[in-house]
Amino acid sequence: VFCKIRLLDDIEATLKLVKQLAASGASLIAVHARYRGTPTHRRDGPAHLDQVAIIKKAVDVPVLANGNIKSWEDVQANLQLTGADGVMSAEGMLDDPCLYASTGSSGSSRDRKISLRKVEKKIRQLQNLLEKKKNGAKLTPEEEEKVKKRKDLKRERKELLNRYNETEKKGLPEELEVPKDGLTKARQYLSIVKDYPPSPPLSTLIFHCRRMAKTELTAFQLLEDFKAATSLDEVHRLLSKAEGFRDAPGSFQASKEKEHQDRELRKQQAYELECRRKYEQRMARKAARLGVPLAEVMKGSAVPGGSMHFNSE
């Protein structure tokens, strides 16, 4: 059983919860290091990764850290800070579904062979130090520190061997070509959607593609048109238009008029978002005044720019 939680109101309550989960048989706990939200308060800034570090020390089961990951550098920083056994990413993966692959974190077969040789060399050196100590020689403090890492090196060698053998057994290519730009990632996403039906709604396709290709679509003044697309054919047409600009440097000429239109549209969208926020706050106050769950007063409601639906949480 795998469990995923958010932080409770204080660290002691969270520690009590994760210990209960581990004692109940959870074999892995993922921690989204933000406090529980409400329909009117969903996020509260950066994730509190320092609390994940405390949780990791409190339980014996593997812990995954979730939060503040937008790049491979963030992955490394997260693991270093939390000491977690792995990480999860949501927002970061929406912007770059190749976030992990593009770093070479899995590496090629050749990379793994090189890493394996380096680890084995270190283990041989430590073995020589142990033999030296066994024969009565006194090790330096630096050498003693190296010897302490023997178990870690053996574990690293085992993991490298497992990954290498798995790759060989499956016949995976040594190098996986990872798309470098957002347009190519969006194209690959649409291709995968086509190969594995049923297809999600058009709004979902647009959402994912424009997250991946936001940089390019913005640079070529196509983002707002893309968000307003009414068919899959139009999505493909806009991607093709952006690809044409990308593949022919200098062919794109920015339009002052289009820039003004997009700016006005973003202002309108910001206004509608603020209307939604104020409406949510009013309904929260009303629910508190009436002493009823928020869901009672926040049912499917028409608001500027669309419709909102809330569950009973």
Side-chain angles (χ1 to χ4, degrees), residues 93-136:
M93 295 296 280
L94 287 174
D95 291 328
D96 182 7
C98 304
L99 190 154
Y100 300 148
S102 61
T103 64
S105 56
S106 57
S108 68
S109 177
R110 178 176 175 275
D111 292 334
R112 283 189 288 274
K113 284 181 180 178
I114 293 173
S115 298
L116 187 57
R117 284 200 298 268
K118 288 180 178 179
V119 170
E120 289 178 334
K121 181 180 178 180
K122 290 180 180 179
I123 290 175
R124 288 195 301 270
Q125 290 172 342
L126 295 186
Q127 191 63 44
N128 291 336
L129 290 176
L130 288 172
E131 287 294 329
K132 178 180 172 182
K133 186 175 182 179
K134 184 178 178 181
N135 293 330

Side-chain angles (χ1 to χ4, degrees), residues 22-145:
S24 299
S27 53
L28 181 147
I29 300 174
V31 182
H32 184 176
R34 289 187 173 87
Y35 295 107
R36 292 177 298 173
T38 69
T40 57
H41 185 75
R42 293 174 177 80
R43 302 180 74 88
D44 64 343
H48 305 283
L49 297 178
D50 56 321
Q51 295 198 32
V52 180
I54 298 172
I55 292 168
K56 171 59 184 170
K57 294 176 181 177
V59 292
D60 295 327
V61 299
V63 171
L64 300 184
N66 180 203
N68 300 355
I69 293 178
K70 295 292 184 70
S71 67
W72 177 244
E73 289 72 25
D74 292 337
V75 171
Q76 294 174 307
N78 185 309
L79 291 173
Q80 184 175 5
L81 174 62
T82 64
D85 300 280
V87 299
M88 296 180 70
S89 176
E91 290 292 323
M93 295 296 280
L94 287 174
D95 291 328
D96 182 7
C98 304
L99 190 154
Y100 300 148
S102 61
T103 64
S105 56
S106 57
S108 68
S109 177
R110 178 176 175 275
D111 292 334
R112 283 189 288 274
K113 284 181 180 178
I114 293 173
S115 298
L116 187 57
R117 284 200 298 268
K118 288 180 178 179
V119 170
E120 289 178 334
K121 181 180 178 180
K122 290 180 180 179
I123 290 175
R124 288 195 301 270
Q125 290 172 342
L126 295 186
Q127 191 63 44
N128 291 336
L129 290 176
L130 288 172
E131 287 294 329
K132 178 180 172 182
K133 186 175 182 179
K134 184 178 178 181
N135 293 330
K138 184 175 177 59
L139 301 184
T140 66
E142 183 180 345
E143 288 173 334
E144 290 285 3
E145 285 299 316

Side-chain angles (χ1 to χ4, degrees), residues 277-292:
R277 188 184 67 81
K278 290 180 178 179
Y279 171 78
E280 291 173 354
Q281 291 177 340
R282 287 200 308 274
M283 293 301 101
R285 291 193 296 269
K286 181 178 180 180
R289 188 171 64 252
L290 297 176
V292 299

